[in-house]
Amino acid sequence: MLGMLRAGIGTGYAIKRAVDQSTRFFWSTSFAQVYPELAGLEKQDYIVGHDDPHGERPRRSYRLTRKGEDALGNWLRSPSVPSFAFRDEGLLRLFFADALPDEEAMALVQRLREHAERADLAFREEILPMAEGAPAHGYRFPLIAARLGADYYTWRARWLANLHSELARDAVARRSKTKRAGQAGT
Amino acid sequence: MLGMLRAGIGTGYAIKRAVDQSTRFFWSTSFAQVYPELAGLEKQDYIVGHDDPHGERPRRSYRLTRKGEDALGNWLRSPSVPSFAFRDEGLLRLFFADALPDEEAMALVQRLREHAERADLAFREEILPMAEGAPAHGYRFPLIAARLGADYYTWRARWLANLHSELARDAVARRSKTKRAGQAGT
DNA sequence: GGAAGCATGTAAAGTGTTACATGATTTT
DNA sequence: AAAATCATGTAACACTTTACATGCTTCC
C-alpha cells in the first residue's frame, strides 16, 4: 500500500487496479482488504487522506506522511528474511503424483506445464507491456520484477517439459523390461 | 493430508514432521491446523482413525477410506487451475525498490540473492537428501518435486546475481555521464 | 537425571477470499 | 440506452499463525 501510494496511486480503487496489473502474480489483493487497510493506515498516521470527489461520485485520495515514507524505507532496507510464504499447489500435486498410475501422472505434469505456459503468456502479454511504461516515469524496478516473474514461468515450463520427456523415456524403458517382446505397434 | 496418509504417515504429529521435511518450502502447516483437520476429515468419512497408544502415551492413527482415496485421485486429476497463490515478499520489495537510492537498491538485490542462495542450500542439505530415500520405497515424485524446488532457488540466485551486475554496470555508466571527468580513483 | 523428541490439542489473533450492496460517470 | 468502468464499502466465511497447555518415552 505504501509503495503504491508513494508512486502516486492515490485511491483504494486505483491501488487494487494497479495491483491487478502489476504485482498480482506475486502479491494480490482485494477491495475488501484495501479499503479497511487504508483506514487503518490513516488512523496510525502512515498516510493522510482527503475527500476528492469526481462530480457527484465520492472519492478519497491518500498520500504518505513522513512516518509512512520512513516505514516504507525501513521495510525495503530491513534485513529480515522476506517471507517467501510461497504456497504452490502445483508443486504439491507433483509431490503426491505417485498416487496416480503412470500415464495419469504424466498428464498431471503436462497440465502443470500448460499452466506455467499460460502464466508465462499472461505475464508477457498483460504485465510486461504495462511495466514497460514505468521506466519513462522514473520507475526502473517494476519492469525488472515483471521480467523476473515472466522468466520464472518460462523456466518452469521448460523444466516441466524436460521432466515429461524423461518420464516418457523411463516409461518406455520399463515397459520393454517387464513385457519383453510382444506388441510392437502400441 | 490425504496424500500423506496414503503414503503411510498415519498420525498428526508424523504428518506435521513429514511436511517440515518435505513440502515445507511450497506448502507448510502447523499442529494447530493438522489436528482439527484430521478430526474434520474423519467426520466426513475421508479417513478413519483408531487409537494406537504407545505405552501410556496416547496416539491416534488414521488411514484413508475409499472415499478419501477417490478424493485424493480427483484432486490430482482435476484440471482446475492450481491456485499458485504464490506470495513472494522478496519480489514485492524488488518491485518497489525505486523508493531507495541506487546503492541501497543494489544492496536489496544482494540480500534477495543471498536469501535465494540460503534457500537453495537448505533445500539441497535438508530436503533433497530426505527425498532421495523415497524412490527406494516406491515414491518417485517427492524427489522430483524437491529437485524442482532446489533448481528454482538456484535459478533465482543466478538471475539476481546477473541483475546485480547489470545494475552495477548501469550505475558506472550513469556516473561517468553525469559527472564527466573528475575523481578517477573512487 | 536431564534433554530431546513424541504426541495431542485449544484459544486468540491475524490474514485473506467471496459474495453482497450501492450508485455515479464515461464510453459505445 | 446499455455496457463498461469508476468508486466505496460490509458481512460472512475460510484459512493461518502464534502462543499456550500438558504429559509420556527414549536417548545420552
Side-chain angles (χ1 to χ4, degrees), chain A residues 162-182:
Chain A
N162 287 340
L163 172 62
H164 190 265
S165 311
E166 265 175 55
L167 292 174
R169 254 200 311 280
D170 289 0
V172 170
R174 232 173 316 149
R175 249 196 307 265
S176 64
K177 223 190 210 169
T178 48
K179 298 212 174 177
R180 285 289 170 198

Side-chain angles (χ1 to χ4, degrees), chain A residues 3 6 20 23 108:
Chain A
R6 183 179 171 280
D20 286 347
T23 69
L108 167 61

Side-chain angles (χ1 to χ4, degrees), chain A residues 9-78:
Chain A
I9 295 161
T11 70
Y13 186 85
I15 288 173
K16 160 72 163 104
R17 207 190 32 183
V19 164
D20 286 347
Q21 289 169 4
S22 57
T23 69
R24 148 168 80 100
F25 276 87
F26 47 91
W27 202 279
S28 69
T29 193
S30 65
F31 289 125
Q33 247 185 297
V34 164
Y35 290 113
E37 198 166 338
L38 281 171
L41 286 171
E42 183 169 28
K43 205 159 57 189
Q44 286 167 82
D45 295 320
Y46 289 108
I47 63 179
V48 277
H50 63 279
D51 289 324
D52 183 21
H54 200 234
E56 286 299 289
R57 193 197 307 145
R59 183 165 67 168
R60 193 165 175 81
S61 290
Y62 296 87
R63 59 179 176 73
L64 292 188
T65 60
R66 182 61 197 273
K67 187 180 169 188
E69 274 171 47
D70 289 350
L72 176 61
N74 289 339
W75 172 61
L76 290 171
R77 271 181 272 262
S78 76

Side-chain angles (χ1 to χ4, degrees), chain A residues 28 84 87 104 111 115, chain B residues 28 76-77 84 87 104 115:
Chain A
S28 69
F84 262 104
R87 249 157 203 272
E104 288 190 274
R111 277 202 304 283
H115 187 262
Chain B
S28 69
L76 290 172
R77 271 182 273 262
F84 261 105
R87 257 164 195 268
E104 287 190 275
H115 186 262

Side-chain angles (χ1 to χ4, degrees), chain A residues 1-4 6-7 22-29 33 72-73 75-102 104-106 108-109 111-112 115-116 118-119 138-149 151-153 155-156 159-160 163 167 170 174, chain B residues 1-4 6-7 22-29 33 72-73 75-102 104-106 108-109 111-112 115-116 118-119 138-149 151-153 155-156 159-160 163 167 170 174:
Chain A
M1 303 286 284
L2 300 178
M4 288 295 183
R6 183 179 171 280
S22 57
T23 69
R24 148 168 80 100
F25 276 87
F26 47 91
W27 202 279
S28 69
T29 193
Q33 247 185 297
L72 176 61
W75 172 61
L76 290 171
R77 271 181 272 262
S78 76
S80 83
V81 188
S83 72
F84 262 104
F86 153 57
R87 249 157 203 272
D88 185 336
E89 197 185 322
L91 244 176
L92 192 67
R93 289 189 197 200
L94 187 62
F95 184 90
F96 288 117
D98 290 295
L100 294 174
D102 270 27
E104 288 190 274
M106 284 173 61
L108 167 61
V109 172
R111 277 202 304 283
L112 294 177
H115 187 262
R118 275 196 301 275
Y139 292 91
R140 292 186 294 158
F141 285 94
L143 180 55
I144 289 169
R147 271 211 259 267
L148 174 49
D151 289 353
Y152 166 56
Y153 287 110
W155 174 86
R156 180 171 168 125
W159 201 98
L160 289 166
L163 172 62
L167 292 174
D170 289 0
R174 232 173 316 149
Chain B
M1 303 285 285
L2 300 178
M4 289 294 182
R6 183 181 171 279
S22 58
T23 69
R24 149 167 79 98
F25 275 89
F26 46 92
W27 202 279
S28 69
T29 192
Q33 247 185 295
L72 176 61
W75 173 60
L76 290 172
R77 271 182 273 262
S78 77
S80 83
V81 187
S83 75
F84 261 105
F86 154 57
R87 257 164 195 268
D88 184 338
E89 196 185 321
L91 244 176
L92 192 66
R93 288 188 198 199
L94 188 63
F95 183 91
F96 287 117
D98 290 294
L100 294 174
D102 270 26
E104 287 190 275
M106 285 174 62
L108 167 61
V109 172
R111 276 201 306 282
L112 294 176
H115 186 262
R118 274 196 302 275
Y139 292 91
R140 293 185 295 158
F141 286 95
L143 180 55
I144 289 169
R147 271 211 259 266
L148 175 49
D151 289 352
Y152 166 56
Y153 287 111
W155 174 87
R156 180 171 168 127
W159 202 99
L160 289 166
L163 172 62
L167 292 175
D170 289 1
R174 231 173 316 147

